[in-house]
Amino acid sequence: MMKKILHFNKEAINAMPSRYRANFINSITGFKSANLIGTISPEGIENLAVISSITHIGSNPPLLSYITRPTTVARHTYSNIKETGVFTVNHIHSNIINQSHQTAAAYDSNISEYNAVGLTAAYRDDFKAPFVKEAHIQLACEYVNEYEIKENGTILVIGAITNITIPEDTLYEDGWVHLQKANGVAINGLDGYTSPQIIDRFTYAKPDKKATSILDK
């Protein structure tokens, strides 16, 4: 029996209640990366924020980006990055989803989310921004640039990856990182956390050669 199919046109989407529409649009665009951005203020107050918009920009040089919402209210993560020029990206895994999600609460700027939610700030190699000790995959990043998204007032922040820490068993000979082995999770919408499962992996696709499976299951 075929399931009922729903269709929403522009008018129907615009007529949705604000919170309903936020959940709907954030979910319908697909699974997103689940990360914690760690920063520190010039006054030495550590900050931690769950971010689902981190995206690979390029590998040469290694760049990533994230979207910060409009700065009409205080954005502690963004302010700290602009002030210090550095931040960390820490993968969320299945054992820390409760603490990670709680960092989304609007804590005052003088309160460290690390302390508030029960995660541990860790420092390494004289890098100023704090990592999350409990995270299995950790990236050190430097602020590079930003671009205003005029259509909705958000800002695309670009960071350069300068240091990476990962479990040895996640790294394959060709450079591929098996995130499932690090218990990494993804975000569905604004508040749903899911455990991805690798289905298959393929050789480089070419017009004259069919890609074949290379996943070591």
Side-chain angles (χ1 to χ4, degrees):
M1 182 177 178
M2 181 178 292
K3 295 181 180 179
K4 183 178 179 180
I5 302 299
L6 303 177
H7 173 73
F8 301 89
N9 59 22
K10 182 178 180 180
E11 289 72 23
I13 295 171
N14 290 337
M16 292 176 177
S18 176
R19 181 51 48 186
Y20 184 98
R21 184 172 60 248
N23 280 325
F24 184 64
I25 298 300
N26 271 278
S27 300
I28 206 67
T29 49
F31 292 111
K32 297 175 287 186
S33 62
N35 292 284
L36 291 163
I37 289 187
T39 60
I40 190 169
S41 72
E43 295 75 29
I45 300 172
E46 296 158 343
N47 179 270
L48 192 63
V50 57
I51 300 291
S52 62
S53 61
I54 289 180
T55 303
H56 162 84
I57 295 295
S59 57
N60 187 26
L63 297 173
L64 54 74
S65 69
Y66 87 95
I67 294 286
T68 186
R69 295 170 67 186
T71 55
T72 50
V73 299
R75 302 295 178 194
H76 303 150
T77 296
Y78 174 72
S79 297
N80 290 346
I81 291 173
K82 291 300 295 287
E83 292 275 1
T84 66
V86 292
F87 61 99
T88 68
V89 173
N90 307 269
H91 286 216
I92 298 173
H93 58 77
S94 55
N95 293 334
I96 61 170
I97 56 174
N98 289 352
Q99 301 98 311
S100 298
H101 185 71
Q102 185 60 29
T103 66
Y107 292 101
D108 291 337
S109 61
N110 63 340
I111 295 177
S112 167
E113 286 82 0
Y114 284 90
N115 296 332
V117 307
L119 292 172
T120 309
Y123 292 87
R124 187 171 58 252
D125 301 328
D126 296 323
F127 194 72
K128 188 172 183 179
F131 297 90
V132 176
K133 182 179 180 180
E134 292 81 2
H136 300 153
I137 296 179
Q138 306 166 4
L139 288 70
C141 299
E142 295 178 349
Y143 172 87
V144 174
N145 207 342
E146 65 182 57
Y147 300 89
E148 179 188 2
I149 309 298
K150 296 182 179 180
E151 288 74 12
N152 64 356
T154 57
I155 299 171
L156 179 71
V157 178
I158 308 294
I161 302 171
T162 62
N163 193 288
I164 299 171
T165 299
I166 59 173
E168 183 178 12
D169 67 344
T170 65
L171 181 60
Y172 280 45
E173 289 184 358
D174 64 353
W176 183 65
V177 180
H178 198 325
L179 299 180
Q180 186 179 330
K181 290 188 175 182
N183 297 323
V185 302
I187 292 181
N188 180 183
L190 294 168
D191 49 22
Y193 294 81
T194 182
S195 295
Q197 183 174 351
I198 293 293
I199 298 173
D200 214 335
R201 186 180 179 227
F202 295 90
T203 54
Y204 190 79
K206 299 179 180 180
D208 59 346
K209 185 177 182 181
K210 184 179 179 180
T212 58
S213 174
I214 57 172
L215 182 64
D216 179 10
K217 299 179 181 180

